[in-house]
Amino acid sequence: MSAGEKPKIGVFGAGWVGLVTGACFAELGHEVVVRDVLPERIAALESGRVPLHEPELPELLERNRERLTFTLEVDDAVSAPIMFVCVGTPPTYSGDADLSAVWTVVDQLPELEERAILVMKSTVPVGTGEKVRAALDARGLAHVGYVSNPEFLSEGSAVRDFMHPDRVVVGAFTEADGAAVTALYEPLETTVVQADVASAEMIKLAANAFLMTRISFINEIANVCEATGADVVKVAEGVGLDHRLGPHFLRAGIGWGGSCFPKDGVALKQLASNSGYHFQLLNAVIEVNELQKRRVIQKLQRHLGSLRGKTVTLLGLAFKPNTDDIREAPSLVLAGRLVAEGAEVRAWDPVADGAVALPRAKICADPLEALEGADAAVLVTEWHQLAELDWREAAKRMRNPLLIDGRNMLDPAELRASGFTYDGIGRAAGLV
Ligand code: UGA
């Protein structure tokens, strides 16, 4: 590599994190090789198809086609001096993170003659870096550096989050390795937090746990609002303007889901308990979230009595808007509970495919069709299509125009004027 030339980058894993990381580094001028073990995924990417729904990603991949290679071969990815590990770390039965895909990457590294750096972007328990370092040393790969560089990408805005980060965290065993990874982010002109490897690993877990804590906190405030006549939307506005607290992650609703919070929350809880510490607060945060999803059922029962034989429409299935991801989505718990209560479930989502995950629900292509003859609707995901829906028409089509607004997305007064009984989360003042 000549002076000033950008180093080639290898990426293990063509999932959300790997594709966004690869596409963004290509956009920054690097040649990037993305390796995955799934032939159909690589074939799709090679033919220009993006196997997941993420705004801006298709355009970015297309624009940087010449600098991006997709491959099934380990040898192609290890030809790069800097290799990012972006493989999945799903929960195991015990709740600990399953690191088998991470270890496969480490174990498959061939004898590397040149100096290289393995950069961990996957979310891993604190202590993983130490273990990987020891494994590399034991294999005679002491010249392969190891850096922890956790991702802070939110699905639905991952490209923007990568290009305009609040900070970049770099945890390294040696200054030189830390500097090499820091240099990759120079064009982004952001704050780089240089840390030891264990602290970098913990920053990621702590940041997610703190965000979850804020959501469970505001959800509990919402529940107290319901019992006392306050409106949580106003309360969050007033609380969030305190500069020490800030306005983010104070939207009350039916709880968090997705591929990150549920898994990372439990993984941190288990990491703490494996180390002999009982993380009481995090336990409560997780439990509040579980209960929050189920409170919707009680709300429906308060309005409708028994749900047996009633038709309930779920508006939105994805765990948040602008993604097709339904992993751990509140919609799955709701659908399951509704079926258990004897209700007929209908569902609509503009991109998420609910057919496999919700075999007992009737999936509809259009929200008005999904509401036809229904006894109640639950707004589960705040898709913009729902803000733009003709709610007057929706009220006419339903047998009983009742809306549980699980995201406090809509204006209660407007919904009532359209003929709805409107019930949000933590909005007791507006209860009809
Ligand atoms: C989250 C973090 O926000 C990212 O910083 C992190 O990198 C990522 O996990 C990860 O570990 O990979 P993500 O799960 O994509 O990102 O989505 P979020 O926007 O954080 O939303 C998570 C859940 O919280 C959603 O179900 C959302 O509806 C819910 N939420 C969010 C609320 O209920 N209230 C809020 O105020 C904010």
Side-chain angles (χ1 to χ4, degrees), residues 301 304-311 338-344 375:
Q301 285 166 333
L304 299 175
S306 165
L307 300 181
R308 183 156 298 280
K310 302 274 167 40
T311 299
L338 285 168
V339 168
E341 292 295 329
E344 188 194 312
D375 296 289

Side-chain angles (χ1 to χ4, degrees), residues 5 57 225 336:
E5 202 181 306
L57 184 59
C225 283

Side-chain angles (χ1 to χ4, degrees), residues 10 16 35 120 137 160 166 196 218 229 242 274 280 302 306-307 316 322 344 350 363 405 421:
W16 242 286
R35 189 258 175 174
M120 187 59 65
D137 292 348
R160 196 184 61 214
D166 290 342
D196 56 280
I218 201 65
D242 185 324
N274 294 344
Q280 280 198 69
R302 212 166 59 226
S306 165
L307 300 181
N322 301 322
E344 188 194 312
I363 309 291
D405 185 353
T421 300

Side-chain angles (χ1 to χ4, degrees), residues 63-85:
R63 194 160 61 235
N64 293 289
R65 239 188 140 108
E66 305 229 310
R67 278 194 283 270
L68 280 159
T69 314
F70 301 102
T71 182
L72 289 164
E73 306 304 325
V74 174
D75 284 350
D76 295 340
V78 300
S79 65
I82 302 186
M83 299 168 279
F84 280 85
V85 181

Side-chain angles (χ1 to χ4, degrees), residues 123 151-155 204 208 211 215 249-251 255-257 260-261 264 319-320 382 407:
T123 302
E151 54 89 9
F152 300 99
L153 310 174
S154 293
E155 289 182 20
K204 163 70 191 197
N208 271 3
L211 292 170
I215 300 171
F249 278 68
L250 284 181
R251 276 180 289 115
W256 74 69
C260 304
F261 284 177
D264 293 351
F319 82 99
K320 62 187 263 190
E382 60 274 44
R407 299 292 176 183

Side-chain angles (χ1 to χ4, degrees), residues 148-356:
S148 164
N149 174 221
E151 54 89 9
F152 300 99
L153 310 174
S154 293
E155 289 182 20
S157 60
V159 171
R160 196 184 61 214
D161 292 344
F162 189 101
M163 290 300 192
H164 306 281
D166 290 342
R167 78 317 205 175
V168 164
V169 173
V170 175
F173 289 110
T174 71
E175 246 176 64
D177 289 341
V181 174
T182 299
L184 300 177
Y185 291 97
E186 244 161 44
L188 302 182
E189 296 176 354
T190 188
T191 305
V192 177
V193 178
Q194 313 260 12
D196 56 280
V197 172
S199 301
E201 291 166 340
M202 185 56 101
I203 288 170
K204 163 70 191 197
L205 294 175
N208 271 3
F210 207 164
L211 292 170
M212 293 173 226
T213 304
R214 284 179 68 101
I215 300 171
S216 278
F217 177 81
I218 201 65
N219 281 340
E220 288 219 284
I221 292 289
N223 299 342
V224 180
C225 283
E226 283 179 11
T228 55
D231 185 329
V232 75
V233 175
K234 246 321 140 207
V235 173
E237 183 191 337
V239 168
L241 283 168
D242 185 324
H243 76 276
R244 296 168 303 175
L245 300 172
H248 304 290
F249 278 68
L250 284 181
R251 276 180 289 115
I254 53 174
W256 74 69
S259 63
C260 304
F261 284 177
K263 146 180 105 70
D264 293 351
V266 174
L268 178 53
K269 173 183 141 168
Q270 298 303 0
L271 175 72
S273 68
N274 294 344
S275 324
Y277 184 73
H278 178 57
F279 200 150
Q280 280 198 69
L281 179 59
L282 187 54
N283 273 300
V285 163
I286 293 167
E287 195 182 357
V288 167
N289 195 56
E290 281 312 311
L291 295 173
Q292 194 68 12
K293 296 180 226 172
R294 288 155 194 264
R295 274 176 70 89
V296 174
I297 304 297
Q298 290 151 25
K299 276 181 190 284
L300 286 168
Q301 285 166 333
R302 212 166 59 226
H303 289 280
L304 299 175
S306 165
L307 300 181
R308 183 156 298 280
K310 302 274 167 40
T311 299
V312 180
T313 302
L314 301 181
L315 296 171
L317 293 174
F319 82 99
K320 62 187 263 190
N322 301 322
T323 176
D324 57 353
D325 199 344
I326 55 171
R327 284 175 286 179
E328 302 282 337
S331 59
L332 302 181
V333 173
L334 277 178
R337 286 289 302 115
L338 285 168
V339 168
E341 292 295 329
E344 188 194 312
V345 180
R346 301 235 196 100
W348 164 86
D349 192 285
V351 295
D353 179 4
V356 176

